[in-house]
Amino acid sequence: MRKLVLATAVAGLLAGGPAVQASDLEIVLAEDRVDHRTFDPRVTQSRHEEQVIVQIFDQLLSADENGNRHPGLAKSWQVSDDKLSYTFQLRDDVTFHDGTPFNAEAVKFTFDTIVDPELGSQGAVDIIGPYASTEVLGEHEVRVNYSRPYGAALGAFAETELSIVSPTAVKEKGNNGFAQSPVGTGPFKFVSWEKGKQIDLERNDDYNWAPAWMSHQGPSQVSRATVRFIPDASTRVAALEAGEVEASELVPALDMRRFAAGDEFTTMVGNAAGLPFAALFNTSRGVFVDKAVRQAFMHAVDRPTLAANLFFGFADPAYGPISASTPSYWSGNDAYYPFDLDKANALLDEAGWKMGDDGIRHKDGQPLSVYFPALLEPDTAVAVQADVRRVGFDVNVENVMKARQDELIFANGYDMLVIRWVSNDPGVLSIPFHSRNIVEPGKFKFNWARYADAGMDQMLEDAESAATAEARDELYAAIQKQIMDEGIFLPIHNQVQTIAHTSELTGFRLAAGQWQVRFYEVKKAE
């Protein structure tokens, strides 16, 4: 086992600051993907990339694992009466990793570049909402303006995608260079990236502006942190048990049970808010152009049994477009599309699909075929494939890498795709369901259902601008109902993050949304 070393020194900060503790504790986290492409928070849409980003960057507001908002880089804020402007008083004691000061200009630069098409933002450009401009009111005072009221704004300012970047570093490196060696204000600095293998970070010894809600202040006790890319779950577990890594994510359910029963490892479970693990049906081509076929497919999937067989009680079946832990979840989702083979068969019969001798339905000489490229959880895709075969669907599941999935998305060469998204706000529904997010040449977006409905667009925009929580809930309920009525989204199971780490350490903490793991508060267990 790797020996954990904790040599602690106490040093006074400059200018009579408080004493802080530092140590040479080193940790390694095993992560399940190898195809990371950017660590620019303004660009990414990947939770895997955000596992690194959350260590390097800070946001104007800070959110704990339950989504509660606290002061972050902004000490305080005021909202205008018309809900079109948010004025922030910023901290004046923060510096970026490159030594340049954090200030109002950095906030303006970050937000202005997010909406610049040249950047190619995939996540932040939606999360920032109807952004109009940012005004610099002083060195540490800034006003963010919107073109219409945006009720999700405060939550958005705490999202990882709206992390504040160093303008100097971006200008010196360019957007592509910054994506490869990011510079933020967070507790850890980027050191190196060995693509396909690992990311190395080192402690930011100047860090003394952690949000007050955190249990630790000053530099982290972790001097060096590594995120090692190990896609195979059994290999991650073996590395953890051999002491090659201190922590692992996405630990299989049976191993989680085994670790929880012993003393050597500590387990953590995060029930993520946002979009559950689900499939979007492509409404623009193939058999899923017909709503009845989509609805039949959904009735044919036994979600409770699937979740029980694959996750052994760690993940619950999902029933709506957002998870039940997400604000504004509509309880009416739970009654839609129960497992019902008779109903599925009846819908397909009425739609003119006749069962063949081979167990596959046909219509007008064409089989009821579905191409299902699966980037995530191929075992889940295979379980869905087996379920729907019972009513005559011929589903071709192909386990693909992200580059292949992206190619298929741009070519409109798929019938269904899996999707999930960690978010603490129901406004995440705009990402896969607003027509502005239908993929176009050169514009990678996430409306993979290619669903365009003017009424849906208007409801999504109205919900973002809702004046009261009650109005917001009502609008998001109507949005969820329409999504389910149209049968364009198959919820499968809630997103669950399963973490195990050596019991020699404590202080691993889930970030907002309960997926990424923060390293900042990690220390040797007493």
Side-chain angles (χ1 to χ4, degrees):
M1 174 177 284
R2 277 174 16 110
K3 186 178 181 182
L4 295 174
V5 180
L6 187 67
T8 302
V10 179
L13 290 179
L14 296 176
V20 296
Q21 288 189 331
S23 74
D24 60 359
L25 178 62
E26 297 183 5
I27 61 172
V28 180
L29 169 76
E31 211 259 357
D32 77 314
R33 291 289 292 280
V34 300
D35 54 352
H36 304 72
R37 298 192 296 180
T38 176
F39 294 106
D40 186 339
R42 303 171 301 159
V43 176
T44 187
Q45 48 73 32
S46 168
R47 66 170 183 82
H48 308 278
E49 292 160 357
E50 288 183 10
Q51 176 57 58
V52 173
I53 288 169
V54 75
Q55 322 301 335
I56 298 174
F57 291 91
D58 295 318
Q59 302 79 41
L60 291 182
L61 277 61
S62 175
D64 60 29
E65 55 263 61
N66 297 313
N68 301 309
R69 295 188 291 270
H70 309 267
L73 293 176
K75 299 184 295 184
S76 62
W77 53 91
Q78 300 83 39
V79 184
S80 64
D81 291 341
D82 60 9
K83 304 297 192 293
L84 292 175
S85 298
Y86 293 75
T87 302
F88 296 93
Q89 303 299 322
L90 307 176
R91 296 188 67 129
D92 60 5
D93 58 348
V94 177
T95 56
F96 288 102
H97 301 155
D98 57 9
T100 58
F102 160 76
N103 52 27
E105 289 287 354
V107 176
K108 176 176 173 58
F109 176 87
T110 298
F111 293 165
D112 284 352
T113 55
I114 284 172
V115 299
D116 183 350
E118 182 179 343
L119 176 67
S121 175
Q122 295 184 6
V125 71
D126 288 305
I127 291 168
I128 203 169
Y131 175 80
S133 65
T134 296
E135 300 174 70
V136 173
L137 305 180
E139 181 70 11
H140 297 100
E141 184 178 14
V142 66
R143 178 180 298 136
V144 180
N145 302 310
Y146 288 92
S147 60
R148 55 182 169 80
Y150 184 40
L154 289 178
F157 292 128
E159 293 282 359
T160 306
E161 290 89 344
L162 299 196
S163 298
I164 308 303
V165 303
S166 164
T168 299
V170 173
K171 292 171 184 176
E172 288 180 351
K173 301 169 186 281
N175 288 330
N176 291 337
F178 187 86
Q180 310 298 307
S181 57
V183 177
T185 63
F188 294 93
K189 300 179 180 181
F190 174 86
V191 174
S192 63
W193 176 10
E194 188 174 351
K195 293 191 177 182
K197 185 176 180 181
Q198 67 186 43
I199 288 280
D200 289 306
L201 309 173
E202 66 181 7
R203 176 176 55 222
N204 178 7
D205 288 329
D206 295 327
Y207 193 73
N208 197 34
W209 46 85
W213 62 269
M214 290 184 170
S215 63
H216 180 73
Q217 296 293 307
S220 173
Q221 292 195 23
V222 176
S223 65
R224 192 171 183 90
T226 297
V227 178
R228 186 171 298 166
F229 311 142
I230 306 177
D232 180 71
S234 61
T235 305
R236 290 196 302 277
V237 170
L240 179 64
E241 293 188 289
E244 297 171 5
V245 304
E246 280 65 53
S248 176
E249 70 156 13
L250 288 178
V251 175
L254 292 179
D255 292 305
M256 287 287 286
R257 284 185 172 183
R258 179 166 59 88
F259 291 155
D263 298 326
E264 189 175 358
F265 299 99
T266 300
T267 58
M268 303 163 56
V269 178
N271 289 292
L275 304 180
F277 185 89
L280 281 167
F281 296 123
N282 189 341
T283 63
S284 72
R285 53 157 272 176
V287 300
F288 291 135
V289 169
D290 187 341
K291 180 169 72 173
V293 175
R294 302 194 298 264
Q295 293 175 326
F297 194 104
M298 295 175 76
H299 277 298
V301 179
D302 186 355
R303 287 172 281 181
T305 299
L306 185 153
N309 289 344
L310 291 176
F311 298 100
F312 302 96
F314 280 91
D316 293 326
Y319 295 103
I322 52 177
S323 68
S325 62
T326 309
S328 298
Y329 179 79
W330 178 52
S331 61
N333 289 311
D334 299 355
Y336 274 81
Y337 306 108
F339 175 55
D340 188 337
L341 294 180
D342 289 340
K343 179 67 172 177
N345 279 313
L347 284 165
L348 292 171
D349 287 340
E350 292 169 9
W353 293 94
K354 305 302 180 185
M355 186 68 78
D357 294 338
D358 58 356
I360 302 300
R361 288 177 180 265
H362 294 75
K363 179 179 179 181
D364 300 329
Q366 298 297 316
L368 187 57
S369 296
V370 173
Y371 176 43
F372 186 4
L375 172 66
L376 307 169
E377 294 190 22
D379 289 347
T380 302
V382 170
V384 169
Q385 174 192 51
D387 273 2
V388 300
R389 176 66 183 246
R390 291 177 292 190
V391 297
F393 280 95
D394 179 25
V395 178
N396 172 24
V397 173
E398 181 184 358
N399 188 14
V400 297
M401 298 298 287
K402 190 174 190 307
R404 174 59 176 161
Q405 177 186 268
D406 292 356
E407 176 185 323
L408 291 166
I409 288 169
F410 278 118
N412 196 18
Y414 60 92
D415 294 312
M416 58 189 294
L417 288 171
V418 293
I419 191 170
R420 60 185 177 189
W421 202 292
V422 176
S423 175
N424 293 303
D425 193 276
V428 70
L429 290 169
S430 290
I431 292 173
F433 298 114
H434 196 292
S435 66
R436 67 170 177 257
N437 289 327
I438 294 175
V439 180
E440 298 175 3
K443 188 180 89 170
F444 189 90
K445 293 293 183 179
F446 297 89
N447 185 339
W448 298 337
R450 298 177 181 262
Y451 178 71
D453 180 87
M456 172 65 75
D457 292 350
Q458 190 61 57
M459 283 194 295
L460 288 166
E461 293 169 13
D462 289 346
E464 289 180 346
S465 304
T468 66
E470 291 77 13
R472 198 166 189 247
D473 287 347
E474 184 177 337
L475 282 162
Y476 278 118
I479 289 164
Q480 292 169 73
K481 183 178 187 303
Q482 180 166 327
I483 292 167
M484 299 308 288
D485 284 339
E486 290 294 307
I488 54 179
F489 183 88
L490 169 63
I492 301 176
H493 65 77
N494 288 334
Q495 295 189 80
V496 176
Q497 173 64 294
T498 49
I499 304 290
H501 64 81
T502 173
S503 295
E504 294 181 26
L505 296 176
T506 187
F508 286 98
R509 189 168 192 155
L510 291 167
Q514 300 197 6
W515 195 273
Q516 289 80 25
V517 183
R518 294 185 186 274
F519 301 152
Y520 172 64
E521 296 167 278
V522 173
K523 62 182 180 179
K524 191 79 163 62
E526 298 177 357

